[in-house]
Amino acid sequence: MSLALQNVTLTYPDGDGRLTALDNVCLDVPPGALVAVTGPSGSGKSSLLAVAGTLVTPDEGDVVIAGASTRSLSQKQRAKMRRNEIGFVFQQDNLLPALTALDQLLLSADMRGMRVRAFRDKAIRLLEEVGLAHAAHRRPHEMSGGMRQRVNIARALMADPSLLLIDEPTASLDSERGKEIVAMICELVRTRKLAAVLVSHDLSTLTDADRIVQMRDGRLSRVGIVAS
Ligand code: ADP
Ligand code: MG
């Protein structure tokens, strides 16, 4: 599935005026591609993800998901789209302290229409894919920051989203661990043909991205093409 932001402008109330968080932003993400967005704090990166994920409606412009405009969708239709099609990964992993890695995944997704056994098998396969086959029964405090972030990513994939939106996944990791996580996300994105946007202020972790764009004061500019 593809994602396109078309001339998106987003403002927030700011005293007597408005603050422009996204200024006429255009971005195309084809299936199987990971676009990395970098830029200083306050430049609009999280706002861009919130708009791409239909959590926030822009003042102007459109978000096109799988070729379909989301502009005229109702709140209910948006919620359904998020549940079925969009995986969110945030910097804070929000894992429940009492639950094992496997249970975090089982708790996360809607298992209606799925047999318990198949659901569990899927969670185990996902943990294997993110390199945590050995840690399925560990609780968050028994895992490193990198392992917790892998659980966080696996959890976002439980509902088989076609669009993955990831906000600062490496913020609490050193540069080497950060690079490994980004490389793993790129691999998942390519094999599953997801469209993915990953936000990071740390350019050094982004060498595996298909494209890197720079955000500054709500505007996007291209940094360079890392791969074709
Ligand atoms: P980043 O993720 O790059 O740090 P954000 O998208 O969080 O940037 O913020 C962009 C700008 O919008 C900042 O100036 C921030 O203070 C402002 N902002 C973000 N969210 C809100 C909000 N809910 N209400 C008002 N201003 C906001
Ligand atoms: Mg942010």
Side-chain angles (χ1 to χ4, degrees), residues 12-13 19-21 39-48 167-168 199 215:
Y12 297 113
L19 181 152
T20 303
S41 175
S43 59
K45 305 184 299 297
S46 294
S47 297
L48 183 139
D167 202 351
E168 302 276 5
V199 159
M215 183 137 241

Side-chain angles (χ1 to χ4, degrees), residues 36-39 203 211-215 220-226:
V37 181
T38 186
L203 198 54
R211 201 186 333 149
I212 301 178
V213 293
Q214 167 91 30
M215 183 137 241
L220 270 192
S221 58
R222 182 176 272 226
V223 169
I225 299 173
V226 178

Side-chain angles (χ1 to χ4, degrees), residues 103-187:
D103 286 337
Q104 313 273 358
L105 267 59
L106 294 179
L107 186 74
S108 69
D110 183 352
M111 59 183 294
R112 270 174 295 182
M114 230 178 142
R115 302 175 66 117
V116 176
R117 180 62 191 271
F119 196 65
R120 198 183 149 85
D121 287 349
K122 180 178 182 176
I124 288 171
R125 268 201 313 279
L126 266 171
L127 287 174
E128 281 168 5
E129 262 189 273
V130 299
L132 292 179
H134 62 295
H137 301 291
R138 291 203 204 171
R139 295 182 168 77
H141 70 275
E142 299 164 321
M143 290 187 273
S144 67
M147 291 167 83
R148 285 199 294 270
Q149 194 52 271
R150 285 164 194 265
V151 176
N152 199 17
I153 292 156
R155 182 175 55 178
L157 295 173
M158 272 302 280
D160 289 323
S162 32
L163 174 60
L164 194 58
L165 302 170
I166 312 150
D167 202 351
E168 302 276 5
T170 65
S172 57
L173 307 177
D174 64 56
S175 179
E176 205 46 44
R177 297 298 152 261
K179 241 187 216 174
E180 284 169 19
I181 292 276
V182 174
M184 184 198 78
I185 293 172
C186 287
E187 181 68 28

Side-chain angles (χ1 to χ4, degrees), residues 188-201:
L188 290 166
V189 165
R190 285 173 196 143
T191 54
R192 290 159 183 266
K193 298 258 183 296
L194 310 180
V197 182
L198 183 149
V199 159
S200 173
H201 64 273

Side-chain angles (χ1 to χ4, degrees), residues 49-144:
L49 289 188
V51 168
T54 77
L55 289 165
V56 172
T57 307
D59 302 46
E60 286 173 55
D62 199 0
V63 177
V64 179
I65 297 178
S69 164
T70 61
R71 183 123 206 126
S72 54
L73 294 183
S74 68
Q75 288 296 340
K76 202 171 163 187
Q77 287 168 319
R78 275 164 208 260
K80 186 173 174 204
M81 150 104 65
R82 284 195 294 275
R83 200 165 54 240
N84 296 332
E85 302 293 350
I86 306 179
F88 292 94
V89 180
F90 297 108
Q91 175 180 347
Q92 295 294 334
D93 55 45
N94 294 319
L95 299 178
L96 293 166
L99 295 189
T100 65
L102 179 59
D103 286 337
Q104 313 273 358
L105 267 59
L106 294 179
L107 186 74
S108 69
D110 183 352
M111 59 183 294
R112 270 174 295 182
M114 230 178 142
R115 302 175 66 117
V116 176
R117 180 62 191 271
F119 196 65
R120 198 183 149 85
D121 287 349
K122 180 178 182 176
I124 288 171
R125 268 201 313 279
L126 266 171
L127 287 174
E128 281 168 5
E129 262 189 273
V130 299
L132 292 179
H134 62 295
H137 301 291
R138 291 203 204 171
R139 295 182 168 77
H141 70 275
E142 299 164 321
M143 290 187 273
S144 67

